[in-house]
């Protein structure tokens, strides 16, 4: 049977456990199956249990294709995992845990956990630096303090209105050059101070690149490292090549997804929704099967336990969530 090209083909293909295991094995161990504990390639295979055992007498580690990946300790079958990856890697506007749960026959709670683990695999980290024409911008997400009940506002310690209580996201976008599509890097930041934003730029943008920003003071003073030009949005939005339209379009796309799909998006998980969106954006010209394989190729070496996911949530934040977005 040919490798799947569509969701429907993926569902049929991965319903065969051997197909699912072989597919993950090929992506994970392209150089041959390796013991995740000691690195040995001398292994026994227990075919009936899809299980390997390390021949190294000091190790004897037993493992499956799930060991040491985002699938570890999950009672869900690979068939469900792989179809969930297919769906989230390719859902243009994201997909909610309710939808995944209904479509693949699991509880919303399981689906929520599955989605967060997959987003974790989508995290691209600090890959190569951006270069050429790069736009930098920051945006505020959710938390309209003025719409909150007075008690909620007080519980959160919010005084006044405006941007207080919102989450701040910082983004960089490398513009299209030739046949190289534009790509983005995004991150939740604690504030928009110079000492927060400038290190992010230095870390992610090659020196001597063209840097385009708005007139925010935090961006001032980088002339020695970058060719920096700013537009003051109070008077103009575009001056020839100088604008931040690319990253602003990215923000509107992200906010639309948050409003439309992740109505209950929690502030402490905002970063993982960003990872998901940025992954799809940066890989938007690939086909569904390619995006699927890219995510699946990143599942190893990543663990995310349920406890890690929920540990950050406090009562205060829970109150905040209800009013967010
Ligand atoms: Zn071993």
């Amino acid at each position: 049977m040919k490798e799947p090209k569509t969701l429907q083909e993926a569902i049929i293909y991965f319903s065969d456990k051997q197909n699912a295991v072989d597919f993950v094995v090929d992506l994970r161990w392209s150089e041959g199956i390796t013991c995740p504990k000691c690195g040995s390639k001398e292994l026994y295979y227990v075919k009936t249990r899809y299980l390997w055992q390390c021949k190294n007498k000091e190790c004897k580690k037993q493992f499956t294709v799930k060991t040491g990946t985002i699938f570890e300790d999950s009672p869900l079958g690979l068939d469900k995992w792989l179809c969930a990856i297919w769906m989230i890697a390719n859902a243009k506007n994201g997909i909610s845990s309710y939808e995944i749960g209904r479509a693949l026959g699991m509880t919303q709670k399981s689906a929520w956990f599955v989605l967060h683990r997959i987003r974790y695999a989508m995290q691209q980290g600090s890959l190569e630096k951006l270069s050429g024409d790069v736009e930098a911008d920051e945006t505020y997400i959710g938390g309209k303090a003025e719409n909150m009940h007075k008690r909620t506002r007080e519980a959160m310690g919010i005084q006044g209105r405006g941007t207080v209580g919102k989450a701040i996201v910082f983004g960089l976008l490398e513009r299209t050059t030739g046949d190289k599509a534009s790509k983005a890097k995004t991150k939740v930041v604690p504030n928009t101070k110079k000492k927060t934003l400038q290190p992010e730029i230095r870390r992610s943008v090659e020196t001597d690149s063209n840097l385009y920003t708005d007139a925010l003071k935090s961006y001032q003073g980088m002339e020695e490292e970058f060719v920096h030009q700013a537009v003051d949005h109070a008077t103009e939005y575009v001056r020839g090549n100088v604008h931040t339209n690319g990253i602003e379009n990215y923000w509107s796309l992200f906010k639309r997804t948050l409003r439309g799909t992740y109505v209950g998006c929690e502030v402490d998980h905002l970063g993982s929704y960003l990872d998901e969106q940025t992954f799809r954006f940066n890989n938007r010209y690939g086909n569904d099967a390619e995006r699927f394989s890219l995510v699946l190729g990143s599942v190893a070496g990543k663990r995310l336990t349920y406890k890690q996911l929920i540990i950050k949530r406090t009562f205060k934040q829970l109150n905040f969530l209800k009013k967010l977005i």
Side-chain angles (χ1 to χ4, degrees), residues 201-213:
I201 295 173
R202 290 189 185 101
R203 195 173 307 138
S204 301
V205 183
E206 264 178 38
T207 316
D208 293 333
S209 301
N210 296 314
L211 180 68
Y212 305 107
T213 67

Side-chain angles (χ1 to χ4, degrees), residues 45-58:
Y45 184 49
V46 188
K47 196 171 187 316
T48 48
R49 294 172 61 204
Y50 302 93
L51 182 104
W52 290 269
Q53 180 170 1
C54 183
K55 283 187 182 175
N56 178 351
K57 286 199 180 66
E58 265 90 72

Side-chain angles (χ1 to χ4, degrees), residues 164-197:
V164 184
K166 291 193 179 198
I168 309 164
V169 178
F170 178 65
L172 291 158
L173 181 132
E174 178 187 296
R175 288 186 196 155
T176 311
T177 38
D179 55 2
K180 234 172 107 203
S182 60
K183 58 182 174 185
K185 285 191 179 202
T186 50
K187 191 177 181 182
V188 178
V189 289
N191 56 57
T192 60
K193 289 176 183 165
K194 187 179 266 189
K195 66 173 196 272
T196 303
L197 301 188

Side-chain angles (χ1 to χ4, degrees), residues 1 9 28-29 42 105-106 116 154 157 202 209 221 241 311:
M1 195 177 173
E9 288 174 11
R28 183 174 178 190
W29 290 299
E42 302 283 308
M106 56 178 100
H116 271 294
E154 281 168 4
R202 290 189 185 101
S209 301
N241 219 4
I311 208 155

